[in-house]
Amino acid sequence: MSGRGNKAGAGGGDDTVIRIPPHYYIHVLDLKTNVTKPIIGPETFVRQDNEKVVEGPTKMVIIPPNHYCVVANPVMRDEEGEVQFDQYGQAKLLHADQEVRLTQEPFPLYPGETLDVKVTKLRAVPTNTALRLRAIADFTDADGTKRWAHDEWLFTGPGTYLPHKFVEVVETIRASIISPNQALRLRALKACKDQQGKDRVCGEEWLINKTGAYLPGAYEQVVGFISAYVLTENIALHLEALQSYKDRFGVNRKSGEQWLITIKDSEAFIPDVHENVIQVVNISTLTNRQYCVILDPMGDDGKNKLGQRKLIKGEKSFFLQPGERLEAGIQDVHILGEDEAIIVKAVLPFTDNGVERQPGNLWMIRGACEFIPTVEMEIIDRRKAMPLDENEGIYVRDIKTGKVRAVVGQTYVLNQDEELWDKPLPEQIEKLLSAEVDPLADRTARAHNKESKSRLKHKVVTYRVPHNAAAQIYDYKAKRARVVFGPDLVMLAPDEHFTQLSLSGGKPKRPNCIRSLCLLLGPDFMTDIITVETSDHARLALQLSYNWHFEYSQDSAEHASALFAVPDFVGDACKALASRIRGAVAAVPFDDFHRNSARIIRTSVFGLDENMKVKESFKFAANRLVITNVDIQSVEPVDQRTRDSLQKSVQLAIEITTNSQEASARHEAERLEQQAKGKLERQKIHDEAEAEKARTELLKLQSLSAAVESTGQAKAEAQSRAESLKIEGQAAVEQAQLKAEAQNIEAENELKRINDARKGELDYISATNSLEVEKAQKMSEIETSKFKDMVSTLGPENIAKIATSGHDNQLAMLQALGLQSTLITDGSTPLNLFSTAKGLVGALPPPDQ
């Protein structure tokens, strides 16, 4: 029996005796009835054979304050809260149901009950926070509110939320803090009423601009915050209506309508949900020197006047209304100087200072003035006077008649009917003008392409004709040419053009190698290479240089026109001269030509006069070109065999000449060598004689030097010794003088020092004595005044009493003792008894007293 008891006390599942502590329970299954019942402690349970402990001991469910739990399949209870049992004693359960249990006494779980949610702390909802709740089934709330499935509502704080079995927590909502100049944009998730009691349809948006915390409702979605636009006098808002509505100022707005909000309407503006902020408009400020033109200005009815323009002059500040735009921005007032003007065109008919202006009319406004164009006109061009030197000009065309003229040497302003005209020139002439190549100094570079500067085509074309040159200008309108001789400046009229020269160049001459605008008149030279053939068929290449010049008179128009009669005078002259030379060389053999080449060539070029002499020049009558000389620079055979034979003969001649020159040079060298040797021997003999004479002179000088040296040494020693003694004596004297001066200076300094010291000591003693005397005087005065003050303070009577106070005290004491007289001495001071006795006797009263 004791063994069973111990086993039961252990509390195992097979124990017969089970000790159940307080707040614990077990579930016991009756195997006969198949009913499970709870046994709640504290109790000692004795298990029967037909019973089986299926659970426990298990601790009861304890719910602390502010906690809860959810029990699944809870037991059924009656109105009094008692558990209901069936006929078999089994606790009735609400299957598939839940029960939320709050703080209460510890309770057991009946068979079939389970904890769906363990003991959990109740949710505390702080201020400005809410729980979004959703009903999962139809039920009636504790306050009598009927809730339908999927209904949502808020549980706002502060408070503690008590769970319900038919309610689930969807989310925690925190209040949105709305700052000043800020609004909260909300959207309705379904048809509902907002917190102000206004009906909202699904998808509708609105603003909450009340400063503080706002907790959105269950069917309200926070879209975001909208910050206010702070408007100043310089900033405005350009708004557009997204739909038709009435704004906060009570104005009906239609969809798509645009308008401005300025500081006059509101200092801080929060756009509504039906308003779209297109842009922030900055104020346009005009100074008194500015103006602007507004396109499509807004009228008084609030609509834009399309196609119209409005002029605004400064000083003024304004905002551009919706639809308005500046034509060319803010423009400065046109300030015209005395040399400036503006071309104006009328775009609308109007009257200008009594003058009727029709659209398209042009007129000029000249300075000096200030000009602001009105909306009826537009500025076509601004022109400035062009000061032109006497060598400068411009081409001007009348746009009405088309006539072109050149304006030279004056300050000119184009009027409204004139424009600058660009004079076209051939490309090659443009290159020659812009290259700025001197045709005389840069003849070697005339055929090269140089960097050129672009020409202002409306300026009068000018060309400087160099010295000793001529340029031809052709007037296509008058159909005549004129020749300008340099140095001079050519200025082309509108219908004039240069005559371009294309001359042959190179060696041998090739056509169109040199292009120029002027013709050099010489004297000059040209070089050409021609090939000739002798009568014995020897082909030779001749390099010839011709000196030439033009023979003319500047006063003769015939001579001037003849100069340009031949376009390529270089090629024409070289061809003509080469033809004459070839004909002359072809009539002579090579040997004769080799020996007489210069005479043959000059004769063929210049010809012979009546006296069979070579003429001095050859003249081309067509262009008055004169050839004055021919220089043969080189003669080279063209055929290789002729060249080799000529080279051999030349080498042989050179060798013979060289050998002859060497022999003569050798003979001359030998002769010069013999002459040099004879001169050298004679010079040696002469030099030896001169050397002997010099040696004799040297010996004489050496003997004289020895004698002078012996006598001079003794003399020098005596002089030096005497000089030394003299210097020592002078030094001793100077030293004694310096010592005496030094001692004198030291004595004077010492005497001065002693005098200064004594003077200082006397001054010090005198000052000290003066201070002492002054001190003694002041002390005596102080004592005197002190004594006077004491005497005057005490008074004569008090002083007399003080002086007799000692005797009076003694007398009073003796009278008090009854003594007539007494003598008190210390035994060491001698007394005069005679005087004392006299005093005593004298002190006695008379007999009658």
Side-chain angles (χ1 to χ4, degrees), residues 625-638:
L625 177 66
V626 178
I627 306 298
T628 59
N629 189 23
V630 178
D631 181 18
I632 305 172
Q633 295 181 346
S634 66
V635 178
E636 294 183 0
V638 178

Side-chain angles (χ1 to χ4, degrees), residues 4 33 54 97 107 165 189 225 231 285 383 488 593 708-709:
R4 291 179 63 189
T33 62
V54 296
D97 198 357
F107 62 89
K165 63 180 180 179
L189 300 177
F225 286 95
L231 303 180
T285 303
R383 294 177 179 177
D488 199 355
F593 178 75
V708 171
E709 182 179 0

Side-chain angles (χ1 to χ4, degrees), residues 4 230 520:
R4 291 179 63 189
V230 178
L520 299 179

Side-chain angles (χ1 to χ4, degrees), residues 129-146:
T129 307
L131 298 178
R132 186 176 180 183
L133 306 179
R134 179 186 296 157
I136 58 177
D138 299 342
F139 73 99
T140 301
D141 207 345
D143 56 358
T145 304
K146 183 65 177 178

Side-chain angles (χ1 to χ4, degrees), residues 27-30 33-38 52 54 85 89-91 111:
H27 287 175
V28 179
L29 175 63
D30 190 343
T33 62
N34 205 23
V35 174
T36 303
K37 61 181 179 179
K52 180 180 180 182
V54 296
F85 296 92
Q90 180 74 38

Side-chain angles (χ1 to χ4, degrees), residues 414-433:
L414 298 176
N415 60 30
Q416 68 274 8
D417 297 325
E418 294 177 341
E419 66 178 0
L420 294 175
W421 180 70
D422 293 338
K423 180 178 177 59
L425 290 176
E427 182 180 358
Q428 192 62 38
I429 294 180
E430 288 278 5
K431 291 181 179 180
L432 293 175
L433 288 174

